[in-house]
Every structure is written in C-alpha cells, then in structure tokens.
Amino acid sequence: MGVERADDRPAGNAATHQEVSVSIVVRFSPNDVTRAKYDEVVRRLEEAGEWPNPPGLEFHVLYGSEGNLRVDEIWDSPESRGLLPEDLPVMNEVGSEMTSEPEVFEVQNIARR
C-alpha cells in the first residue's frame, strides 16, 4: 500500500489539495539491551496500561543481537507517536539508556503481503 503525500498530488483542484497525515518510522538505539531487560520493560509498561496497543502504533519491531537489541516502530502519524525515551524512566531502572535521540523518518511506502 502506498502512502499518498499532499505534495505528490496534482495542484489546481483545491478540493484534492489538503494535508495528508503520513506514517513515521521511529528508530531507537538503546544501550546494552538484552532480551531480559526488554521483557522487563514490556512487563512494566503492561502493568502501567501503556502497552501493547497504544493508539496510533502500527508496528513495533525488536531486532539485533543479545546485548545490542534495537527497536523500530511505525506510527500512523507524527502526532500519534507514543512515548519518548524521556517518558520511559523504566529503561534506566532496568539498566539501559538511549545512546542518542531516536531517528524519525517519514514513511514513503508500506508493502504488506
């Protein structure tokens, strides 16, 4: 499924030239994340009622190698983006922290089977 962007539509018809909200990818690069630490963060977020289905979250992917795990998320719009690293003190409580601000990218296309 392609994502239509407002600036890709033909000009000239004001009715079709409106803002279109686009999905975003948020890539987190936490430091020293193991599967046990990740699972503990998820458990605490579930207890707090903030996980597993926050509004606007389309995909959440954990990948990488033990001790060097990463998380990518796709949100249905920049406005719906969920918790920011500073909103997750639980990361520090389990012994992981962000190495930098998350990278944010506008989605250009999503293909599904």
Side-chain angles (χ1 to χ4, degrees), residues 26-50:
V26 181
R27 177 168 290 156
F28 296 95
S29 297
N31 186 28
D32 189 33
V33 175
T34 63
R35 185 59 197 247
K37 290 178 182 180
Y38 172 85
D39 289 344
E40 179 61 15
V41 169
V42 167
R43 186 189 69 73
R44 292 180 187 196
L45 291 175
E46 286 173 342
E47 283 182 357
E50 298 175 2

PDB file of all heavy atoms in Angstrom, residues 26-50:
ATOM      1  N   VAL A  26      10.132   5.401  13.715  1.00  0.00           N
ATOM      2  CA  VAL A  26      10.963   5.881  14.823  1.00  0.00           C
ATOM      3  C   VAL A  26      11.934   4.759  15.155  1.00  0.00           C
ATOM      4  O   VAL A  26      11.530   3.642  15.456  1.00  0.00           O
ATOM      5  CB  VAL A  26      10.112   6.248  16.056  1.00  0.00           C
ATOM      6  CG1 VAL A  26      11.007   6.775  17.173  1.00  0.00           C
ATOM      7  CG2 VAL A  26       9.043   7.265  15.688  1.00  0.00           C
ATOM      8  N   ARG A  27      13.224   5.063  15.054  1.00  0.00           N
ATOM      9  CA  ARG A  27      14.275   4.067  15.306  1.00  0.00           C
ATOM     10  C   ARG A  27      15.007   4.433  16.591  1.00  0.00           C
ATOM     11  O   ARG A  27      15.618   5.490  16.704  1.00  0.00           O
ATOM     12  CB  ARG A  27      15.246   4.041  14.134  1.00  0.00           C
ATOM     13  CG  ARG A  27      16.411   3.081  14.351  1.00  0.00           C
ATOM     14  CD  ARG A  27      17.186   2.853  13.095  1.00  0.00           C
ATOM     15  NE  ARG A  27      16.330   2.068  12.212  1.00  0.00           N
ATOM     16  CZ  ARG A  27      16.446   2.057  10.889  1.00  0.00           C
ATOM     17  NH1 ARG A  27      17.374   2.775  10.300  1.00  0.00           N
ATOM     18  NH2 ARG A  27      15.654   1.315  10.153  1.00  0.00           N
ATOM     19  N   PHE A  28      14.918   3.515  17.560  1.00  0.00           N
ATOM     20  CA  PHE A  28      15.563   3.712  18.858  1.00  0.00           C
ATOM     21  C   PHE A  28      16.877   2.936  18.893  1.00  0.00           C
ATOM     22  O   PHE A  28      16.954   1.811  18.405  1.00  0.00           O
ATOM     23  CB  PHE A  28      14.669   3.194  19.984  1.00  0.00           C
ATOM     24  CG  PHE A  28      13.372   3.946  20.111  1.00  0.00           C
ATOM     25  CD1 PHE A  28      12.223   3.470  19.498  1.00  0.00           C
ATOM     26  CD2 PHE A  28      13.301   5.120  20.834  1.00  0.00           C
ATOM     27  CE1 PHE A  28      11.021   4.148  19.613  1.00  0.00           C
ATOM     28  CE2 PHE A  28      12.110   5.814  20.954  1.00  0.00           C
ATOM     29  CZ  PHE A  28      10.961   5.318  20.337  1.00  0.00           C
ATOM     30  N   SER A  29      17.891   3.531  19.489  1.00  0.00           N
ATOM     31  CA  SER A  29      19.184   2.870  19.645  1.00  0.00           C
ATOM     32  C   SER A  29      19.567   2.869  21.116  1.00  0.00           C
ATOM     33  O   SER A  29      20.431   3.627  21.557  1.00  0.00           O
ATOM     34  CB  SER A  29      20.251   3.595  18.826  1.00  0.00           C
ATOM     35  OG  SER A  29      19.939   3.540  17.463  1.00  0.00           O
ATOM     36  N   PRO A  30      18.923   2.013  21.893  1.00  0.00           N
ATOM     37  CA  PRO A  30      19.272   1.961  23.316  1.00  0.00           C
ATOM     38  C   PRO A  30      20.620   1.284  23.529  1.00  0.00           C
ATOM     39  O   PRO A  30      21.114   0.560  22.669  1.00  0.00           O
ATOM     40  CB  PRO A  30      18.139   1.143  23.932  1.00  0.00           C
ATOM     41  CG  PRO A  30      17.625   0.317  22.801  1.00  0.00           C
ATOM     42  CD  PRO A  30      17.865   1.098  21.547  1.00  0.00           C
ATOM     43  N   ASN A  31      21.199   1.524  24.690  1.00  0.00           N
ATOM     44  CA  ASN A  31      22.496   0.972  25.052  1.00  0.00           C
ATOM     45  C   ASN A  31      22.297  -0.286  25.891  1.00  0.00           C
ATOM     46  O   ASN A  31      21.484  -0.301  26.813  1.00  0.00           O
ATOM     47  CB  ASN A  31      23.269   2.024  25.850  1.00  0.00           C
ATOM     48  CG  ASN A  31      24.674   1.609  26.142  1.00  0.00           C
ATOM     49  OD1 ASN A  31      25.280   0.838  25.405  1.00  0.00           O
ATOM     50  ND2 ASN A  31      25.206   2.116  27.237  1.00  0.00           N
ATOM     51  N   ASP A  32      23.040  -1.347  25.577  1.00  0.00           N
ATOM     52  CA  ASP A  32      23.104  -2.544  26.416  1.00  0.00           C
ATOM     53  C   ASP A  32      21.740  -3.175  26.687  1.00  0.00           C
ATOM     54  O   ASP A  32      21.370  -3.434  27.818  1.00  0.00           O
ATOM     55  CB  ASP A  32      23.805  -2.206  27.738  1.00  0.00           C
ATOM     56  CG  ASP A  32      24.103  -3.458  28.553  1.00  0.00           C
ATOM     57  OD1 ASP A  32      24.361  -4.514  27.942  1.00  0.00           O
ATOM     58  OD2 ASP A  32      24.041  -3.383  29.788  1.00  0.00           O
ATOM     59  N   VAL A  33      20.955  -3.415  25.629  1.00  0.00           N
ATOM     60  CA  VAL A  33      19.646  -4.040  25.808  1.00  0.00           C
ATOM     61  C   VAL A  33      19.751  -5.536  25.552  1.00  0.00           C
ATOM     62  O   VAL A  33      20.203  -5.973  24.501  1.00  0.00           O
ATOM     63  CB  VAL A  33      18.587  -3.427  24.870  1.00  0.00           C
ATOM     64  CG1 VAL A  33      17.271  -4.184  24.986  1.00  0.00           C
ATOM     65  CG2 VAL A  33      18.371  -1.971  25.203  1.00  0.00           C
ATOM     66  N   THR A  34      19.337  -6.292  26.549  1.00  0.00           N
ATOM     67  CA  THR A  34      19.242  -7.748  26.430  1.00  0.00           C
ATOM     68  C   THR A  34      17.762  -8.101  26.333  1.00  0.00           C
ATOM     69  O   THR A  34      16.886  -7.278  26.619  1.00  0.00           O
ATOM     70  CB  THR A  34      19.839  -8.446  27.656  1.00  0.00           C
ATOM     71  OG1 THR A  34      19.063  -8.084  28.809  1.00  0.00           O
ATOM     72  CG2 THR A  34      21.299  -8.056  27.857  1.00  0.00           C
ATOM     73  N   ARG A  35      17.482  -9.339  25.968  1.00  0.00           N
ATOM     74  CA  ARG A  35      16.091  -9.781  25.893  1.00  0.00           C
ATOM     75  C   ARG A  35      15.432  -9.712  27.269  1.00  0.00           C
ATOM     76  O   ARG A  35      14.270  -9.325  27.401  1.00  0.00           O
ATOM     77  CB  ARG A  35      16.020 -11.186  25.300  1.00  0.00           C
ATOM     78  CG  ARG A  35      14.620 -11.674  25.068  1.00  0.00           C
ATOM     79  CD  ARG A  35      13.892 -10.714  24.120  1.00  0.00           C
ATOM     80  NE  ARG A  35      12.471 -10.903  24.181  1.00  0.00           N
ATOM     81  CZ  ARG A  35      11.749 -11.371  23.175  1.00  0.00           C
ATOM     82  NH1 ARG A  35      12.312 -11.682  22.031  1.00  0.00           N
ATOM     83  NH2 ARG A  35      10.456 -11.514  23.297  1.00  0.00           N
ATOM     84  N   ALA A  36      16.169 -10.040  28.316  1.00  0.00           N
ATOM     85  CA  ALA A  36      15.610  -9.985  29.673  1.00  0.00           C
ATOM     86  C   ALA A  36      15.232  -8.549  30.061  1.00  0.00           C
ATOM     87  O   ALA A  36      14.167  -8.315  30.640  1.00  0.00           O
ATOM     88  CB  ALA A  36      16.599 -10.566  30.681  1.00  0.00           C
ATOM     89  N   LYS A  37      16.082  -7.581  29.727  1.00  0.00           N
ATOM     90  CA  LYS A  37      15.783  -6.175  30.025  1.00  0.00           C
ATOM     91  C   LYS A  37      14.577  -5.700  29.219  1.00  0.00           C
ATOM     92  O   LYS A  37      13.693  -5.010  29.742  1.00  0.00           O
ATOM     93  CB  LYS A  37      16.992  -5.287  29.733  1.00  0.00           C
ATOM     94  CG  LYS A  37      18.134  -5.478  30.700  1.00  0.00           C
ATOM     95  CD  LYS A  37      19.320  -4.604  30.312  1.00  0.00           C
ATOM     96  CE  LYS A  37      20.495  -4.815  31.236  1.00  0.00           C
ATOM     97  NZ  LYS A  37      21.647  -3.971  30.856  1.00  0.00           N
ATOM     98  N   TYR A  38      14.544  -6.053  27.928  1.00  0.00           N
ATOM     99  CA  TYR A  38      13.415  -5.681  27.073  1.00  0.00           C
ATOM    100  C   TYR A  38      12.120  -6.255  27.648  1.00  0.00           C
ATOM    101  O   TYR A  38      11.116  -5.544  27.777  1.00  0.00           O
ATOM    102  CB  TYR A  38      13.643  -6.194  25.649  1.00  0.00           C
ATOM    103  CG  TYR A  38      12.452  -6.018  24.744  1.00  0.00           C
ATOM    104  CD1 TYR A  38      12.246  -4.815  24.079  1.00  0.00           C
ATOM    105  CD2 TYR A  38      11.542  -7.055  24.543  1.00  0.00           C
ATOM    106  CE1 TYR A  38      11.143  -4.645  23.249  1.00  0.00           C
ATOM    107  CE2 TYR A  38      10.452  -6.896  23.720  1.00  0.00           C
ATOM    108  CZ  TYR A  38      10.254  -5.688  23.067  1.00  0.00           C
ATOM    109  OH  TYR A  38       9.164  -5.532  22.249  1.00  0.00           O
ATOM    110  N   ASP A  39      12.134  -7.542  27.998  1.00  0.00           N
ATOM    111  CA  ASP A  39      10.940  -8.189  28.533  1.00  0.00           C
ATOM    112  C   ASP A  39      10.481  -7.524  29.836  1.00  0.00           C
ATOM    113  O   ASP A  39       9.280  -7.392  30.077  1.00  0.00           O
ATOM    114  CB  ASP A  39      11.187  -9.686  28.766  1.00  0.00           C
ATOM    115  CG  ASP A  39      11.298 -10.474  27.467  1.00  0.00           C
ATOM    116  OD1 ASP A  39      10.903  -9.959  26.389  1.00  0.00           O
ATOM    117  OD2 ASP A  39      11.801 -11.624  27.522  1.00  0.00           O
ATOM    118  N   GLU A  40      11.429  -7.083  30.655  1.00  0.00           N
ATOM    119  CA  GLU A  40      11.074  -6.405  31.903  1.00  0.00           C
ATOM    120  C   GLU A  40      10.443  -5.040  31.625  1.00  0.00           C
ATOM    121  O   GLU A  40       9.476  -4.651  32.279  1.00  0.00           O
ATOM    122  CB  GLU A  40      12.302  -6.258  32.808  1.00  0.00           C
ATOM    123  CG  GLU A  40      12.041  -5.546  34.119  1.00  0.00           C
ATOM    124  CD  GLU A  40      11.027  -6.247  35.032  1.00  0.00           C
ATOM    125  OE1 GLU A  40      10.702  -7.445  34.820  1.00  0.00           O
ATOM    126  OE2 GLU A  40      10.546  -5.586  35.973  1.00  0.00           O
ATOM    127  N   VAL A  41      10.982  -4.297  30.658  1.00  0.00           N
ATOM    128  CA  VAL A  41      10.376  -3.013  30.277  1.00  0.00           C
ATOM    129  C   VAL A  41       8.947  -3.245  29.791  1.00  0.00           C
ATOM    130  O   VAL A  41       8.013  -2.547  30.208  1.00  0.00           O
ATOM    131  CB  VAL A  41      11.219  -2.289  29.202  1.00  0.00           C
ATOM    132  CG1 VAL A  41      10.458  -1.103  28.617  1.00  0.00           C
ATOM    133  CG2 VAL A  41      12.544  -1.820  29.795  1.00  0.00           C
ATOM    134  N   VAL A  42       8.747  -4.224  28.919  1.00  0.00           N
ATOM    135  CA  VAL A  42       7.409  -4.531  28.400  1.00  0.00           C
ATOM    136  C   VAL A  42       6.476  -4.903  29.545  1.00  0.00           C
ATOM    137  O   VAL A  42       5.335  -4.433  29.617  1.00  0.00           O
ATOM    138  CB  VAL A  42       7.475  -5.644  27.334  1.00  0.00           C
ATOM    139  CG1 VAL A  42       6.094  -6.187  27.017  1.00  0.00           C
ATOM    140  CG2 VAL A  42       8.157  -5.127  26.072  1.00  0.00           C
ATOM    141  N   ARG A  43       6.940  -5.733  30.472  1.00  0.00           N
ATOM    142  CA  ARG A  43       6.106  -6.138  31.607  1.00  0.00           C
ATOM    143  C   ARG A  43       5.648  -4.930  32.410  1.00  0.00           C
ATOM    144  O   ARG A  43       4.470  -4.796  32.755  1.00  0.00           O
ATOM    145  CB  ARG A  43       6.888  -7.101  32.510  1.00  0.00           C
ATOM    146  CG  ARG A  43       6.046  -7.689  33.647  1.00  0.00           C
ATOM    147  CD  ARG A  43       6.899  -8.464  34.642  1.00  0.00           C
ATOM    148  NE  ARG A  43       7.786  -7.608  35.430  1.00  0.00           N
ATOM    149  CZ  ARG A  43       7.385  -6.795  36.418  1.00  0.00           C
ATOM    150  NH1 ARG A  43       6.116  -6.710  36.736  1.00  0.00           N
ATOM    151  NH2 ARG A  43       8.269  -6.062  37.088  1.00  0.00           N
ATOM    152  N   ARG A  44       6.571  -4.008  32.680  1.00  0.00           N
ATOM    153  CA  ARG A  44       6.228  -2.814  33.459  1.00  0.00           C
ATOM    154  C   ARG A  44       5.269  -1.903  32.698  1.00  0.00           C
ATOM    155  O   ARG A  44       4.372  -1.300  33.292  1.00  0.00           O
ATOM    156  CB  ARG A  44       7.491  -2.053  33.855  1.00  0.00           C
ATOM    157  CG  ARG A  44       8.346  -2.808  34.867  1.00  0.00           C
ATOM    158  CD  ARG A  44       9.565  -2.029  35.239  1.00  0.00           C
ATOM    159  NE  ARG A  44      10.469  -2.797  36.069  1.00  0.00           N
ATOM    160  CZ  ARG A  44      11.444  -2.248  36.782  1.00  0.00           C
ATOM    161  NH1 ARG A  44      11.644  -0.945  36.773  1.00  0.00           N
ATOM    162  NH2 ARG A  44      12.243  -3.018  37.509  1.00  0.00           N
ATOM    163  N   LEU A  45       5.480  -1.767  31.384  1.00  0.00           N
ATOM    164  CA  LEU A  45       4.568  -0.944  30.581  1.00  0.00           C
ATOM    165  C   LEU A  45       3.177  -1.565  30.534  1.00  0.00           C
ATOM    166  O   LEU A  45       2.170  -0.843  30.560  1.00  0.00           O
ATOM    167  CB  LEU A  45       5.118  -0.752  29.167  1.00  0.00           C
ATOM    168  CG  LEU A  45       6.372   0.108  29.053  1.00  0.00           C
ATOM    169  CD1 LEU A  45       6.882   0.118  27.630  1.00  0.00           C
ATOM    170  CD2 LEU A  45       6.097   1.530  29.531  1.00  0.00           C
ATOM    171  N   GLU A  46       3.106  -2.889  30.468  1.00  0.00           N
ATOM    172  CA  GLU A  46       1.805  -3.570  30.504  1.00  0.00           C
ATOM    173  C   GLU A  46       1.106  -3.315  31.836  1.00  0.00           C
ATOM    174  O   GLU A  46      -0.095  -3.025  31.868  1.00  0.00           O
ATOM    175  CB  GLU A  46       1.977  -5.070  30.271  1.00  0.00           C
ATOM    176  CG  GLU A  46       2.280  -5.426  28.842  1.00  0.00           C
ATOM    177  CD  GLU A  46       2.608  -6.904  28.645  1.00  0.00           C
ATOM    178  OE1 GLU A  46       2.937  -7.609  29.642  1.00  0.00           O
ATOM    179  OE2 GLU A  46       2.559  -7.354  27.490  1.00  0.00           O
ATOM    180  N   GLU A  47       1.843  -3.422  32.936  1.00  0.00           N
ATOM    181  CA  GLU A  47       1.269  -3.159  34.260  1.00  0.00           C
ATOM    182  C   GLU A  47       0.734  -1.733  34.364  1.00  0.00           C
ATOM    183  O   GLU A  47      -0.263  -1.488  35.034  1.00  0.00           O
ATOM    184  CB  GLU A  47       2.307  -3.388  35.358  1.00  0.00           C
ATOM    185  CG  GLU A  47       2.554  -4.826  35.689  1.00  0.00           C
ATOM    186  CD  GLU A  47       3.559  -4.998  36.820  1.00  0.00           C
ATOM    187  OE1 GLU A  47       4.116  -3.997  37.319  1.00  0.00           O
ATOM    188  OE2 GLU A  47       3.784  -6.165  37.207  1.00  0.00           O
ATOM    189  N   ALA A  48       1.417  -0.795  33.708  1.00  0.00           N
ATOM    190  CA  ALA A  48       1.005   0.611  33.736  1.00  0.00           C
ATOM    191  C   ALA A  48      -0.117   0.903  32.736  1.00  0.00           C
ATOM    192  O   ALA A  48      -0.614   2.025  32.667  1.00  0.00           O
ATOM    193  CB  ALA A  48       2.207   1.512  33.453  1.00  0.00           C
ATOM    194  N   GLY A  49      -0.495  -0.104  31.934  1.00  0.00           N
ATOM    195  CA  GLY A  49      -1.561   0.090  30.949  1.00  0.00           C
ATOM    196  C   GLY A  49      -1.125   0.846  29.707  1.00  0.00           C
ATOM    197  O   GLY A  49      -1.964   1.315  28.944  1.00  0.00           O
ATOM    198  N   GLU A  50       0.180   0.958  29.492  1.00  0.00           N
ATOM    199  CA  GLU A  50       0.705   1.705  28.343  1.00  0.00           C
ATOM    200  C   GLU A  50       1.110   0.807  27.182  1.00  0.00           C
ATOM    201  O   GLU A  50       1.593   1.277  26.164  1.00  0.00           O
ATOM    202  CB  GLU A  50       1.903   2.548  28.790  1.00  0.00           C
ATOM    203  CG  GLU A  50       1.528   3.581  29.828  1.00  0.00           C
ATOM    204  CD  GLU A  50       2.721   4.337  30.360  1.00  0.00           C
ATOM    205  OE1 GLU A  50       3.860   4.104  29.916  1.00  0.00           O
ATOM    206  OE2 GLU A  50       2.516   5.169  31.257  1.00  0.00           O
TER     207      GLU A  50
END
